């Protein structure tokens, strides 16, 4: 499932921040409901972790999770989301593979294709247009 934002040429995975007093699984449920309208259960596994050091967001940590159950209809509540849609895996991989940002593209494509083990950690250092994968384990 990919929501699309007006500024994005392609869909991007749902995301957002953890608010004060909120745990990651609570943020996951809140963000998915805001961006897609879906109600989701707790995550069943960590898809991947990223630590990104960039000028805009020094030392940002991002986590992606796999959820096993959801309910509701796709109806984004977030004004930044134009629409959300489910895609067959080959179509989703094609769209995600076209993302310009290696930081956005490599972890999700690696996870979805099975090329990278669930729970892999990615460390990126981004300066201007240059995105450097520093380490991965």
């Amino acid at each position: 499932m990919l929501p699309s934002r007006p500024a994005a040429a392609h869909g991007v995975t749902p995301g957002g921040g953890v608010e004060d007093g909120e745990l990651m699984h609570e943020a996951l449920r809140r963000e998915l409901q805001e961006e897609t309208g879906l109600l989701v259960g707790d995550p069943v596994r960590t898809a991947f972790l990223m630590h990104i050091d960039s000028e805009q967001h020094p030392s940002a940590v991002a986590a992606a999770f796999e959820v096993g159950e959801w309910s509701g209809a796709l109806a984004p509540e977030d004004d930044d989301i134009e629409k959300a849609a489910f895609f067959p895996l080959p179509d989703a991989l094609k769209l995600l593979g076209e993302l310009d940002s290696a930081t956005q593209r490599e972890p999700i494509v690696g996870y979805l294709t099975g090329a990278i083990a669930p729970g892999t950690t990615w460390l990126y250092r981004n300066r201007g247009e240059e995105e450097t994968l520093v380490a991965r384990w």
Side-chain angles (χ1 to χ4, degrees):
M1 191 275 307
L2 299 173
S4 63
R5 293 176 169 83
H10 306 289
V12 295
T13 56
V18 177
E19 296 178 356
D20 287 343
E22 191 175 51
L23 296 174
M24 285 193 302
H25 72 295
E26 296 164 335
L28 169 74
R29 287 196 296 263
R30 178 183 50 76
E31 288 290 348
L32 279 167
Q33 184 171 9
E34 289 173 3
E35 295 190 14
T36 68
L38 298 176
L39 301 173
V40 300
D42 286 335
V44 295
R45 81 170 74 189
T46 301
F48 55 87
L49 298 170
M50 293 190 309
H51 183 179
I52 305 162
D53 177 41
S54 69
E55 292 152 334
Q56 183 180 7
H57 300 289
S59 201
V61 175
F65 301 103
E66 182 179 323
V67 295
E69 58 184 57
W70 65 87
S71 63
L74 289 173
E77 300 169 5
D78 189 322
D79 292 338
D80 291 340
I81 306 297
E82 287 184 332
K83 63 182 176 179
F86 285 100
F87 292 88
L89 183 57
D91 296 346
L93 287 170
K94 182 178 184 309
L95 289 170
L96 293 166
E98 294 172 357
L99 291 171
D100 291 334
S101 169
T103 305
Q104 290 182 351
R105 181 185 63 249
E106 291 173 352
I108 188 69
V109 170
Y111 174 74
L112 291 174
T113 61
I116 302 298
T120 296
T121 298
W122 303 71
L123 305 179
Y124 284 96
R125 179 158 286 123
N126 298 349
R127 295 292 180 262
E129 298 295 316
E130 184 178 337
E131 299 177 323
T132 304
L133 177 62
V134 177
R136 180 181 73 205
W137 64 82

